[in-house]
Amino acid sequence: MLPSYMKPVRHDWTKQQVEDLFEQPFNDLMFQAQSVHRKKFNPNEVQLSTLLSIKTGACPEDCKYCPQSARYDTGLEVEKLLAVEKVIEEAKLAKDAGATRFCMGAAWRSPKDKDLPYVTKMVQEVKSLGLETCMTLGMLKENQAQALADAGLDYYNHNLDTSPEYYGEVTTTRTYSDRINTLGNVRKSGMKVCAGGIVGMGESKADRAGLLMQLANLPQHPESVPINMLVKVDGTPFEDEKDLDPFEFIRTIAVARIMMPESHVRLSAGRESMNDELQALAFLAGANSIFYCDSLLTTANPKANQDMALLNRLDIVPEKNKINIDPSDQEEILHKKILSAKTDHLFYNAVN
Ligand code: SAM
Ligand code: DTB
Ligand code: SF4
């Protein structure tokens, strides 16, 4: 009989099976994850997404990890919905830097119907640059998901964040089933689903298993699965949370890879505090997507040239765009990026 990790895409995981995956010796887990990864993906490619906050702070929700909740004093500068022109400008920069997907995030509980014409315009304009588009705007009703899909939005991000059992410790202003409902509305609209969670919030190993079980037992796996390491922001209730053992983080990525073998698993927030060696282990565990931008929504991310240098040291190349971009255009951008990353380390910065 085939071992579970060699079986095709499954949606019937039990908690015990997921916990058993986590409990294996680390090297066995890594070997399985890398074996699964190689069946569906080029192991030396990573997808690059650039993230932009299109509306920052003053969010009415109480997610305890989030610097953008109006309930916590995090010293954040609040910003209204960005003008479409500003978004296009940022998207062009992202494309020139070699990103293939542009993700736009808003600190909303859910969008108001009056916001939709603005965000759908953003989708159309960014898409016309030849970038894949993704948005994360909070909960969506069926008609809102359909309007975004009709505008051409490729992906919608909405995270489950943690297990159903731990969820009440994290957010009280929306329920786990609200989140599942939004994912259902996104799926029904025909958009691709981006859904994952956060680790390092004081949850147990069983909770990490519970989160992955929920994601993998959805009727269809999310095409993109962001695994965020909590970014501890002063002023949020989780500011003093104990550090998670980095190997537990890697195990979470590896188990996600095994359970969702056809999905992109994104090594998401938290890279700013990870060294190159840990990120390399995450890629070995099957992560094949990153946020490629100097900042996430409100917190720092490694600089683009630092990322290019890391990918270059690991002989990893950026994954090509799957949609309407002129291939010669994209090859030229990436070639230039890789060349400059190759030479960067030969010079020391005489200014510092
Ligand atoms: N407001 C929308 C929502 O919550 O659905 C969209 C934006 S929200 C910031 C997107 C996701 O970012 C959250 O669901 C959470 O998983 C992640 N996130 C937010 N703050 C984080 C932090 N401090 N560390 C890690 N991930 C975080
Ligand atoms: C996701 O899973 N992670 C991103 C994205 N989806 C929108 C957000 C990370 C936010 C980290 C904290 C901040 O920068 O505010
Ligand atoms: Fe608001 Fe999203 Fe932050 Fe929750 S995660 S407080 S919904 S911006």
Side-chain angles (χ1 to χ4, degrees):
M1 200 176 84
L2 281 176
S4 67
Y5 67 89
M6 300 303 265
K7 287 185 186 149
V9 174
R10 288 178 51 190
H11 302 269
D12 59 352
W13 294 90
T14 65
K15 193 74 174 290
Q16 191 58 52
Q17 288 170 331
V18 187
E19 288 185 14
D20 289 348
L21 284 175
F22 269 94
E23 288 301 337
Q24 295 176 88
F26 186 79
N27 284 344
D28 290 347
L29 175 59
M30 292 295 278
F31 177 73
Q32 286 179 23
Q34 183 58 208
S35 309
V36 169
H37 190 45
R38 280 167 185 266
K39 281 179 174 274
K40 294 285 174 189
F41 292 102
N42 176 339
N44 303 310
E45 271 185 8
V46 163
Q47 189 277 329
L48 304 182
S49 291
T50 291
L51 184 57
L52 175 71
S53 179
I54 59 169
K55 187 267 167 183
T56 308
C59 182
E61 303 292 272
D62 72 351
C63 313
K64 291 198 179 98
Y65 50 77
C66 187
Q68 303 204 68
S69 166
R71 297 163 194 249
Y72 317 131
D73 184 7
T74 60
L76 187 69
E77 213 169 292
V78 170
E79 262 181 24
K80 292 207 179 102
L81 185 60
L82 288 189
V84 178
E85 293 70 26
K86 176 74 185 152
V87 174
I88 301 169
E89 208 177 285
E90 294 292 332
K92 282 184 181 153
L93 291 174
K95 184 183 169 185
D96 290 348
T100 58
R101 190 176 309 159
F102 194 67
C103 306
M104 295 159 267
W108 283 327
R109 171 177 164 80
S110 53
K112 307 256 178 314
D113 285 343
K114 71 173 169 49
D115 300 317
L116 281 178
Y118 294 98
V119 295
T120 50
K121 179 82 179 143
M122 289 174 190
V123 172
Q124 286 156 348
E125 294 286 340
V126 172
K127 217 176 151 76
S128 73
L129 299 173
L131 285 160
E132 290 180 316
T133 50
C134 177
M135 280 188 161
T136 179
L137 313 173
M139 294 183 286
L140 288 187
K141 292 184 278 192
E142 214 175 319
N143 69 309
Q144 296 177 317
Q146 198 54 60
L148 291 167
D150 292 345
L153 185 62
D154 299 295
Y155 289 82
Y156 194 81
N157 166 246
H158 197 68
N159 291 336
L160 293 180
D161 281 351
T162 189
S163 67
E165 295 76 19
Y166 195 64
Y167 184 77
E169 302 296 318
V170 178
T171 301
T172 68
T173 50
R174 66 173 70 160
T175 65
Y176 211 75
S177 31
D178 286 335
R179 289 186 182 263
I180 302 264
N181 267 343
T182 291
L183 293 182
N185 291 339
V186 173
R187 187 53 89 194
K188 216 184 296 170
S189 76
M191 288 188 287
K192 296 195 181 82
V193 172
C194 172
I198 314 179
V199 299
M201 299 191 295
E203 77 286 341
S204 64
K205 194 180 284 235
D207 291 316
R208 291 187 283 280
L211 163 69
L212 296 183
M213 184 176 127
Q214 289 293 324
L215 293 167
N217 286 351
L218 288 169
Q220 201 179 329
H221 291 171
E223 283 79 1
S224 169
V225 181
I227 305 293
N228 296 278
M229 175 76 109
L230 174 70
V231 180
K232 292 179 231 174
V233 179
D234 287 350
T236 60
F238 285 161
E239 65 180 357
D240 290 326
E241 204 46 68
K242 209 168 129 262
D243 280 344
L244 179 70
D245 175 358
F247 295 126
E248 275 304 309
F249 175 73
I250 299 295
R251 280 180 194 267
T252 310
I253 292 201
V255 175
R257 165 50 64 226
I258 293 166
M259 295 174 72
M260 291 168 279
E262 297 182 342
S263 307
H264 276 77
V265 175
R266 181 174 304 134
L267 168 57
S268 194
R271 288 199 300 118
E272 178 67 357
S273 57
M274 293 176 199
N275 62 23
D276 286 356
E277 294 84 337
L278 187 66
Q279 294 184 62
L281 262 189
F283 296 134
L284 194 63
N288 60 346
S289 173
I290 56 170
F291 280 123
Y292 171 65
C293 37
D294 293 354
S295 56
L296 297 167
L297 294 172
T298 67
T299 64
N301 198 42
K303 302 281 166 279
N305 62 351
Q306 211 177 315
D307 278 342
M308 279 296 167
L310 173 61
L311 296 185
N312 185 43
R313 282 171 75 201
L314 300 176
D315 306 301
I316 291 175
V317 294
E319 188 187 286
K320 291 208 184 111
N321 201 332
K322 300 276 188 287
I323 61 162
N324 57 338
I325 191 168
D326 175 354
S328 55
D329 195 16
Q330 196 182 25
E331 255 157 44
E332 197 191 329
I333 293 168
L334 294 177
H335 188 66
K336 276 194 209 144
K337 279 274 136 195
I338 288 167
L339 275 183
S340 67
K342 268 192 201 302
T343 51
D344 266 3
H345 70 283
L346 299 175
F347 302 96
Y348 84 103
N349 185 349
V351 178
N352 294 330

